[in-house]
Amino acid sequence: MGFPSPAADYIETTMCADIICNLTANSLVIETSTGAAVVDRGLIARQGDVLLASLDGHAYFGKFMGKAFITHDGDAIEGECLDALQVIGVVTHFVVDTRNGLDDECPVM
């Protein structure tokens, strides 16, 4: 048996969504209208984090800003309604389907 090949030092692992998005047992992948969202249920939510939350059976993406939850539509959930809001997890990645034909603000040529 000879010595190990020096080329083995340059072999990289195959890139996949599990590695890129750091999917764990705490991760959820939620289908959205533009692609998918990766949500980590194990992270502690902080001010300014994008969150997935549920209220009255509806799911919302949004951020806590002060004492209000601001949804992606710009609506504010505050006061007593905020007590019923259930935070599902912190959104770590949005995966966007580029084949949908929508104009992109930052196109790749």
Side-chain angles (χ1 to χ4, degrees):
M1 183 122 188
F3 62 92
S5 171
D9 295 339
Y10 298 99
I11 296 174
E12 294 185 18
T13 59
T14 304
M15 297 302 291
C16 63
D18 292 350
I19 294 171
I20 294 170
C21 295
N22 194 23
L23 296 179
T24 65
N26 289 330
S27 299
L28 296 172
V29 179
I30 307 294
E31 185 177 351
T32 66
S33 60
T34 59
V38 178
V39 180
D40 192 329
R41 296 177 295 175
L43 294 177
I44 296 173
R46 297 175 295 183
Q47 287 280 334
D49 285 344
V50 177
L51 306 172
L52 175 64
S54 174
L55 179 66
D56 296 332
H58 297 285
Y60 299 97
F61 289 106
K63 294 182 179 184
F64 275 113
M65 305 293 273
K67 294 186 179 185
F69 182 77
I70 310 298
T71 67
H72 68 284
D73 294 332
D75 296 333
I77 300 172
E78 53 192 348
E80 290 182 17
C81 291
L82 196 58
D83 295 335
L85 187 76
Q86 178 186 7
V87 175
I88 298 170
V90 177
V91 178
T92 58
H93 296 83
F94 283 107
V95 181
V96 179
D97 184 1
T98 59
R99 301 171 298 158
N100 62 9
L102 297 177
D103 290 332
D104 189 0
E105 295 175 9
C106 184
V108 177
M109 299 287 177

